[in-house]
Amino acid sequence: MNEYLISRQTRKTSVNPFIKSIYTADPSAHVWSDGRLYVYASRDLDGMPTSQINFKTMDQYHAFSTDDMVNWIDEGEIIQARDLNWGVEGYMWAPDAAFKSGKYYFYFPHTSAEPWNDNWKIGVAISDNPTTGFEDAGYIVGAGGHALIDPSVFIDDDNQAYLYYGGGAHGYQVKLNPDMISLKTNPEEIIGLDDFHEAAWVFKRENKYYLTYSDNYSGNNRLKYAMSDTPMGPWKSMGIYLNSVGLETSHGSVVKYKGEWYAFYHSNDLSGSNVLRSICFDVLKFNSDGTIVPVIPTREGAVRLDTDVVLDDEQMISVKTAEDAEIIVGSIIQDDRSFFNSVLSGFNLFGSTVKFNNVNGFDGGNVNIGFYYSTPEKLAKLRLIVNDENISVINFPFTGGTHTYDGYANITVKMNPNKNNNVQLIGGNGAIILEAITTQKLR
């Protein structure tokens, strides 16, 4: 077991998708008072036969944050279906979040019973922290129903909060009470939109209100928008701001951060599958009359840092290297030139497994596990098991070859305090050369 004062991996140029270790969708972007930008996303769970993966198996919301739009931190899981005392397994679709009166509110659609599409509710979880400690507060009475999903909450300058939601060609808008979990007025159907499908999102710019949403275009949804002088319309359709990215679904959010506007969305560029999506963003521009300049999706370079990233005081990061691995089956330790002297290979063999014991969880809670690796594969994968609990399948995208050790995948999980954790990695889905794993306590 080694511990080093090392810096976490940093970048100077943004990439899309900007989260690659796990599959994510439906990004909801917000800037809170700590000055960071947070994205709350749904998850497309991997690790089962492709034929079994669908939108019904979505679960385990995660949040991500950044202070430079280039380097992102996985803040960990927000909530999942098994944390609720209502509803069914899975069906955790596009979420949103809001902050009011010292509390963070996490909104999500979830079906409460079969038949699933007739029983959608708008769930709410509440916390004192933007990424941890969320507790189920039930659902909003009077909202939801057949195909009515995708909640979005907008708080205007007068502190009045509004809820927008809908699906199946019907969208609704309604005022919330100060408690943020009950309705102040009766929901009214949103009119004036062109071919509304789902994914309503409202933001304000220069005293104009914008409502963005996805349409029904030929199974490859586009993102459109409407404008108004008030947060509840009347809405005037203004056209497309993001054309189809080749997916069955499209879902976006818009936020201003450090003087620049950004459009968030998801794509299948990483997986090539409609049910394994990844979140992306690009710069959003406006014309002089307030209309939106259509977004051209990028793979990299939407944001470039002018200088090297200067991190805060270096944090203690606990490192496990190849020498620390217990070989269970299939893998070998192979000497190689690397920062950590040796590496692990053989993960391409089905069932190949290594185990790391006495992994540091610091004082417990959310801990980020990082993986330094190389791979010649377009997209290799390992299954992660922590303390004998199946956590997730982790993606390991192409690095340039077996000796290009600039690959870095990571995920934040709950761990036990101190060096009381074990981590297993199981291969069988692509060649990976593992240099080291690390754990780091989050802020």
Side-chain angles (χ1 to χ4, degrees):
M1 180 67 176
N2 301 303
E3 288 185 333
Y4 299 87
L5 281 173
I6 61 175
S7 298
R8 61 180 171 84
Q9 190 180 68
T10 59
R11 301 180 56 89
K12 291 185 67 174
T13 303
S14 64
V15 296
N16 275 328
F18 65 91
I19 301 299
K20 296 184 178 183
S21 300
I22 57 177
Y23 290 115
T24 52
D26 310 316
S28 167
H30 291 275
V31 179
W32 303 135
S33 60
D34 62 0
R36 298 184 67 82
L37 187 150
Y38 291 82
V39 173
Y40 300 84
S42 58
R43 278 195 66 184
D44 292 337
L45 295 180
D46 199 2
M48 61 192 83
T50 303
S51 61
Q52 297 178 20
I53 301 172
N54 53 55
F55 299 136
K56 300 177 184 179
T57 58
M58 293 171 62
D59 206 340
Q60 302 175 18
Y61 296 110
H62 267 235
F64 308 88
S65 75
T66 184
D67 61 6
D68 61 16
M69 301 302 295
V70 173
N71 297 287
W72 292 83
I73 293 173
D74 180 356
E75 297 282 356
E77 185 180 299
I78 298 295
I79 198 170
Q80 60 175 285
R82 71 181 184 183
D83 297 325
L84 310 178
N85 59 14
W86 56 278
V88 301
E89 182 180 355
Y91 293 98
M92 301 294 267
W93 289 9
D96 192 22
F99 175 78
K100 189 175 183 181
S101 303
K103 297 288 185 181
Y104 294 88
Y105 297 85
F106 185 73
Y107 300 89
F108 55 94
H110 185 56
T111 189
S112 58
E114 296 289 351
W116 63 269
N117 206 32
D118 291 337
N119 292 285
W120 286 102
K121 302 288 193 297
I122 305 301
V124 187
I126 305 174
S127 178
D128 296 326
N129 185 285
T131 58
T132 61
F134 281 91
E135 296 186 0
D136 174 30
Y139 52 83
I140 299 176
V141 176
H146 175 77
L148 297 181
I149 56 174
D150 295 0
S152 174
V153 172
F154 168 75
I155 302 177
D156 207 354
D157 298 334
D158 62 0
N159 220 29
Q160 175 62 56
Y162 299 82
L163 171 68
Y164 306 84
Y165 63 98
H170 296 282
Y172 291 87
Q173 55 192 8
V174 62
K175 290 183 179 181
L176 289 174
N177 281 316
D179 64 9
M180 299 293 285
I181 59 174
S182 64
L183 302 183
K184 185 176 182 179
T185 58
N186 292 323
E188 59 181 61
E189 188 160 3
I190 303 171
I191 59 174
L193 306 184
D194 179 25
D195 194 25
F196 173 84
H197 177 49
E198 59 188 21
W201 175 272
V202 171
F203 68 96
K204 186 177 183 180
R205 176 185 178 271
E206 296 182 357
N207 295 318
K208 291 289 185 181
Y209 297 85
Y210 296 73
L211 191 157
T212 71
Y213 61 97
S214 68
D215 70 4
N216 290 285
Y217 180 67
S218 300
N220 295 282
N221 299 161
R222 303 169 298 189
L223 290 178
K224 292 183 175 180
Y225 75 105
M227 295 177 65
S228 176
D229 293 324
T230 78
M232 295 186 71
W235 297 101
K236 180 181 179 182
S237 292
M238 304 302 294
I240 300 167
Y241 79 93
L242 179 66
N243 272 299
S244 171
V245 293
L247 270 171
E248 179 182 344
T249 68
S250 194
H251 194 109
S253 63
V254 173
V255 70
K256 186 179 183 180
Y257 187 55
K258 295 185 177 179
E260 189 71 78
W261 287 91
Y262 297 97
F264 286 80
Y265 57 97
H266 59 232
S267 78
N268 65 352
D269 282 356
L270 187 63
S271 71
S273 168
N274 278 335
V275 293
L276 293 173
R277 299 160 294 178
S278 300
I279 51 178
C280 307
F281 77 89
D282 277 292
V283 175
L284 187 68
K285 298 292 186 182
F286 296 84
N287 296 308
S288 59
D289 62 357
T291 56
I292 297 175
V293 178
V295 174
I296 299 176
T298 66
R299 290 292 184 92
E300 62 180 33
V303 175
R304 295 176 181 269
L305 303 181
D306 294 331
T307 59
D308 290 332
V309 177
V310 178
L311 299 175
D312 295 334
D313 293 340
E314 291 177 314
Q315 299 182 24
M316 185 68 75
I317 297 179
S318 183
V319 179
K320 286 282 192 176
T321 64
E323 288 88 346
D324 301 307
E326 176 186 349
I327 310 303
I328 305 300
V329 63
S331 293
I332 58 172
I333 293 180
Q334 174 183 327
D335 290 334
D336 207 325
R337 292 192 297 263
S338 76
F339 177 80
F340 297 108
N341 298 319
S342 65
V343 296
L344 291 170
S345 63
F347 285 107
N348 55 309
L349 300 178
F350 181 78
S352 57
T353 305
V354 296
K355 184 177 183 180
F356 297 90
N357 296 304
N358 304 315
V359 177
N360 198 339
F362 303 94
D363 57 2
N366 277 355
V367 176
N368 188 262
I369 304 179
F371 309 90
Y372 290 84
Y373 72 94
S374 69
T375 181
E377 309 276 356
K378 178 181 179 181
L379 184 62
K381 300 172 183 288
L382 292 177
R383 181 177 293 278
L384 172 66
I385 296 175
V386 177
N387 297 327
D388 300 319
E389 180 181 356
N390 183 17
I391 299 298
S392 181
V393 169
I394 309 298
N395 293 325
F396 291 76
F398 177 66
T399 64
T402 58
H403 295 278
T404 308
Y405 294 110
D406 58 358
Y408 179 71
N410 71 100
I411 187 172
T412 294
V413 303
K414 296 289 185 183
M415 297 191 79
N416 299 324
N418 304 315
K419 299 176 184 179
N420 297 317
N421 301 275
N422 65 77
V423 172
Q424 290 188 63
L425 297 169
I426 303 175
N429 198 338
I432 296 169
I433 313 298
L434 185 66
E435 191 177 21
I437 71 168
T438 64
T439 56
Q440 180 178 8
K441 179 184 176 182
L442 294 188
R443 299 169 286 107

